[in-house]
Amino acid sequence: AVTNGITLDTDYTVTLNFSGTGIAASDYTDPGTITVNDGNLPLTVNVNIPDDGVWEPNEALTATLVDPNGTDLVSFAGSASCNIDNVNAVSFALSGPAGTIDEENNATATFTVTPTGADVESGYTISVNYGTIDVIGEAQAGQDYSVTFGIAPFSGTLSAYTIDVPITNDNFVEPDQLFRARLVDPVLDDVTVDTTPVDATIDSGDTATVTIDSFPNSVDEGDVTGAYAVNIDNPIEGAGDLTVSWTAVSGTADVATDLDAPTSGTVVIAPLSSSSSFTVDTATDMNVEGSETFSVQLTGATATDTSVDGDITPDATVVGPTTINETDYADINVSAVSLSVQEDIDLADMEVVFD
């Protein structure tokens, strides 16, 4: 508009000087020089805002009227501002490893952040935070895996970002255990982040053998034996107690008559423990029979959480022998039934008595 009521008697050339966060060419088109005269005022100048097809923050643009010729008699002044709203969205989702991760051989659990939608305009970065999460009663950071957190940066042409979580080989027999990872929403316009936690499952990969490592060499008849030591070479964690079955095996001793019941049983190995023991009670049979032997062997092993049973092998080797020392004895007495006999006619009756 012209002030002071003066008529412009010639054409004047002016330009618009742009400032703000918008970038020329990609965010707006400079209209170039503008011709003004008395006949075309007020004049509307259209500034084209193209869709650049990339994600960017909302931007501000200010246009200021400039007289490039420095006209003395006519003063050009004024500015106008607008916001350029982004219309290109991008989203991010997290996925976990396929299947279970065997903790052996320095394994890692790989999570993947996948972007969908527009690329990011040059000069801008979308930062998506991530981190691992413990699940109560499951895998624990520092024991089963390494706590992992950080920032996944996305700029320019987008591609997937991978997160590697080191898995700890703890040498425990344990059920499959899970932990989680999740993304954190950066709260940006036109950016959507799926913050749903994603699972990863660890397979311990460890196995264990249960054995009888030592046994008593002998026991007096009627006494209780010393301890039979039961050991597991890899402890159990997170699966409750391990119940190990055993049975006595006949040798020269008859298990049914030379041992007191029970002649088989169970012994419990507690979580994270490596050993336990049992004893056998021998019977007093009042028979003079000499020393006899028997042995023992393991017949099974099962945990409270039976999912680990396939990783545990009871060694069924017959262990022994243990000798039962005979403690029964007999006194032998000889007495005559007939106190007198006639020579060469009668035979003397003799009675042998075992006490």
Side-chain angles (χ1 to χ4, degrees):
V2 180
T3 60
N4 299 328
I6 299 175
T7 299
L8 300 179
D9 58 359
T10 186
D11 292 341
Y12 289 89
T13 301
V14 297
T15 60
L16 295 176
N17 184 23
F18 292 93
S19 61
T21 54
I23 301 173
S26 62
D27 294 319
Y28 66 91
T29 302
D30 190 332
T33 58
I34 303 168
T35 300
V36 296
N37 55 51
D38 196 57
N40 66 0
L41 295 176
L43 176 62
T44 298
V45 178
N46 293 318
V47 178
N48 183 43
I49 307 296
D51 180 3
D52 51 16
V54 294
W55 178 90
E56 56 197 339
N58 293 335
E59 296 168 308
L61 185 65
T62 299
T64 302
L65 193 61
V66 176
D67 174 13
N69 301 314
T71 304
D72 294 332
L73 298 178
V74 179
S75 175
F76 295 92
S79 63
S81 298
C82 69
N83 290 322
I84 304 175
D85 292 334
N86 175 64
V87 295
N88 299 291
V90 60
S91 61
F92 299 92
L94 183 67
S95 59
T100 59
I101 304 103
D102 188 337
E103 72 178 29
E104 305 296 314
N105 302 319
N106 300 315
T108 59
T110 300
F111 296 84
T112 303
V113 186
T114 302
T116 303
D119 291 333
V120 176
E121 183 175 278
S122 176
Y124 292 102
T125 298
I126 298 175
S127 296
V128 180
N129 287 271
Y130 61 83
T132 51
I133 309 170
D134 282 352
V135 178
I136 295 175
E138 297 285 344
Q140 300 297 300
Q143 177 177 318
D144 299 301
Y145 69 96
S146 297
V147 62
T148 303
F149 59 90
I151 298 174
F154 295 91
S155 59
T157 301
L158 298 184
S159 59
Y161 182 91
T162 56
I163 303 165
D164 290 328
V165 179
I167 304 301
T168 304
N169 182 9
D170 54 16
N171 292 319
F172 294 150
V173 176
E174 52 200 339
D176 288 353
Q177 297 176 304
L178 65 86
F179 69 98
R180 290 172 175 154
R182 66 183 293 265
L183 303 178
V184 179
D185 193 341
V187 190
L188 296 172
D189 289 338
D190 303 308
V191 174
T192 302
V193 175
D194 186 347
T195 60
T196 304
V198 174
D199 293 349
T201 302
I202 303 172
D203 177 0
S204 80
D206 292 301
T207 59
T209 301
V210 186
T211 57
I212 299 175
D213 281 358
S214 64
F215 63 93
N217 291 318
S218 63
V219 59
D220 289 341
E221 183 180 280
D223 288 348
V224 177
T225 67
Y228 293 84
V230 180
N231 288 279
I232 185 169
D233 56 3
N234 269 341
I236 295 178
E237 190 268 335
D241 291 336
L242 179 68
T243 301
V244 182
S245 303
W246 62 270
T247 189
V249 179
S250 294
T252 56
D254 185 347
V255 166
T257 59
D258 292 312
L259 300 181
D260 280 341
T263 57
S264 62
T266 59
V267 61
V268 173
I269 299 177
L272 298 180
S273 179
S274 59
S275 64
S276 189
S277 64
F278 66 90
T279 58
V280 178
D281 194 359
T282 62
T284 302
D285 57 12
M286 301 301 292
N287 294 323
V288 179
E289 53 198 345
S291 296
E292 298 173 301
T293 62
F294 73 95
S295 301
V296 296
Q297 72 177 143
L298 301 181
T299 57
T302 184
T304 303
D305 184 340
T306 58
S307 68
V308 303
D309 287 358
D311 298 324
I312 303 168
T313 302
D315 186 347
T317 302
V318 176
V319 176
T322 296
T323 299
I324 302 175
N325 298 321
E326 179 60 73
T327 58
D328 295 315
Y329 64 92
D331 292 331
I332 302 176
N333 298 310
V334 180
S335 62
V337 175
S338 299
L339 298 180
S340 63
V341 296
Q342 186 175 350
E343 187 177 78
D344 294 331
I345 297 177
D346 294 329
L347 296 176
D349 291 331
M350 309 294 290
E351 182 180 38
V352 180
V353 179
F354 292 87
D355 292 331

